[in-house]
Amino acid sequence: MNALSDAFAWLATPANWQGEKGIGHRLGEHLYFSGTCLAVACLIALPLALWLGHIGKGGALAVNLSNVGRAVPTLAVLVLLTLTPLGRYGDLPTLIALVLFAVPPLLTNAYVGMREVDRSVVEAARGMGMSGRQLFLRVELPLAYPLIMTGLRSAAVQVVATATLAAMAGEGGLGRIITAGFNLQDTAQVVAGAVLVAALALLVEGVLAALGRFFDPMRGRALSQDD
Amino acid sequence: MGGRNCLVANDWVCAEYVRTRSEELTDATLQHVGITAASILIGLAVALPLALLARRGKAFAGPVLGLTTALYSVPSLAMFSLLLPLFGLSAALVVTGLVLYSLTVLVRNILAGLEAVPEEAREAARGMGYGPVRQLWEVELPLALPALLAGVRIATVATVALTTVGAIVDYGGLGGLIMSGLRSDFKAQVLTASVLCVLLAVAADLLLLALQRWLTPWTRIRSGRAPGVRTAKVVEPA
């Protein structure tokens, strides 16, 4: 595997880490794009999905949204936004596209999570005299938590991937290392950039999976049902 | 807006563009369909043995499902780039990348379909003297067909959208038109190619839905839908 060792040699070259086109700056851009947009997408999608799930309405919207999201090519949206007048405002097209593609997995999973909460548990909570607010905070939210986290993980992976594609539309981020490598016909640089992006995506997924398990409100409670 | 002006004015919607470049559009669409179809067919051919392997027990299911899920998190641009040293700038590179993505959904759905086959049906087949191969082809696979086809629909729609990224190695079907439209600031070309791409995904989905209804008429009687919620939890790579 010559290509792979060339790629690691490229990564090991200190000069490739410095400057505006260096790995350090590109990684910073990537994390900044991804983090901001994921936060904005959460602020938009989660309250809406949890509320719709709580009142039990809007299911068709929540489920179809992710089907629509699948059919629309990310690259097309990025390029279309870049060519609109929004393209004059630097990073704005990328940021909008990132939010657009992060919302469907968040919304769908949080909604499905809320609706999949066992109806008999909800009925029992109502029978105990819980108010809508108590029901939401103490029953529905903890039980829907695993799926909400699945949605967050999917959205994060999606955002990292979309931020990579932004390079094809001329924006920054780690994808720029790949596209620059293609322009220079430098296979080592292309593979090195791809290794960085893939590692970042898998790392983000892994960290979020670990955090999700650590903060699970139902962690360790399953056993208490036996006694 | 009318006639020749929309090309000069660089309008988003331009009938003149569609008329004068219809050949270019047709070529790109055909390439797009070809790449998608090849990816899904090869994906099915690879996913079936993997699902059968995963069915053998937890020792196989863990690695197979883990690996295909990990592949799904790799961004498409990185996936295609990682395959560059192996395939060079070729359509095979794009098809291989898309096959790897389709495996996640296909293996999961085939496995779910096979696991939902009632044990009585298997026992009956064995009792009638069916061997393992005949049992798979004549009893288990037909019963797993609704879940399998649901997976094919999801994978196909995602693949149509992902094919555009193949433009990075000049085999992206309509994605190539999107990228060259970006470079020359040609709005009509970008919008037309993008809309065609979405229409292609919708058309493929409807076609597969018709195929699903034709092949599995019994599912409508029980009004049982293929595992939709299960698959909704998986998100598509970009």
Side-chain angles (χ1 to χ4, degrees), chain A residues 118-168:
Chain A
D118 194 341
R119 286 299 103 189
S120 57
V121 176
V122 174
E123 292 302 317
R126 284 232 176 79
M128 285 168 67
M130 278 196 183
S131 66
R133 194 186 138 84
Q134 285 172 319
L135 177 69
F136 173 72
L137 286 176
R138 296 198 199 159
V139 178
E140 289 177 320
L141 201 54
L143 289 174
Y145 175 87
L147 260 190
I148 297 174
M149 285 309 291
T150 303
L152 185 67
R153 224 166 55 227
S154 306
V157 168
Q158 180 82 18
V159 160
V160 169
T162 309
T164 314
L165 276 184
M168 284 177 81

Side-chain angles (χ1 to χ4, degrees), chain A residues 71-94:
Chain A
V72 177
T74 319
L75 182 65
V77 173
L78 278 164
V79 171
L80 283 172
L81 285 171
T82 308
L83 289 182
T84 61
L86 290 171
R88 273 179 245 139
Y89 298 93
D91 302 333
L92 200 60
T94 310

Side-chain angles (χ1 to χ4, degrees), chain A residues 3 83 116 158 168 178 205, chain B residues 73 81 85 179 185 229 235-236:
Chain A
L83 289 182
E116 275 190 357
Q158 180 82 18
M168 284 177 81
I178 297 177
E205 163 129 43
Chain B
S73 344
S81 303
M179 286 309 291
D185 191 29
V229 176
V235 82
E236 59 288 345

Side-chain angles (χ1 to χ4, degrees), chain A residues 3 70-71 73-76 79-80 83 105 109 112 116 147 154 157-158 161 164 168-169 178 182 190-191 194 197 201 205, chain B residues 12 70 73 75 77-78 81-82 84-85 154 157-158 161 164-165 168-169 178-179 182 185 187 190 194 197 229 233 235-236 238:
Chain A
R70 189 178 300 123
T74 319
L75 182 65
V79 171
L80 283 172
L83 289 182
N109 281 289
V112 172
E116 275 190 357
L147 260 190
S154 306
V157 168
Q158 180 82 18
T164 314
M168 284 177 81
I178 297 177
F182 271 105
V190 170
V191 176
V197 171
E205 163 129 43
Chain B
W12 284 103
S73 344
L77 188 57
S81 303
L82 284 172
L84 181 67
I154 293 173
V157 171
T164 54
V165 182
I168 191 79
V169 291
I178 294 176
M179 286 309 291
L182 173 72
D185 191 29
K187 290 175 179 165
V190 173
S194 304
C197 202
V229 176
K233 289 172 201 163
V235 82
E236 59 288 345

Side-chain angles (χ1 to χ4, degrees), chain B residues 117-126:
Chain B
V117 173
E119 195 51 43
E120 301 90 72
R122 284 204 191 95
E123 269 171 31
R126 270 198 294 275

Side-chain angles (χ1 to χ4, degrees), chain B residues 3 24 66 77 111 117 122 139 151 164 183-184 186 206 209 230:
Chain B
E24 206 176 83
L77 188 57
L111 197 60
V117 173
R122 284 204 191 95
V139 178
T164 54
R183 280 190 289 268
S184 53
F186 193 172
L206 291 177
L209 180 67
R230 264 185 78 97

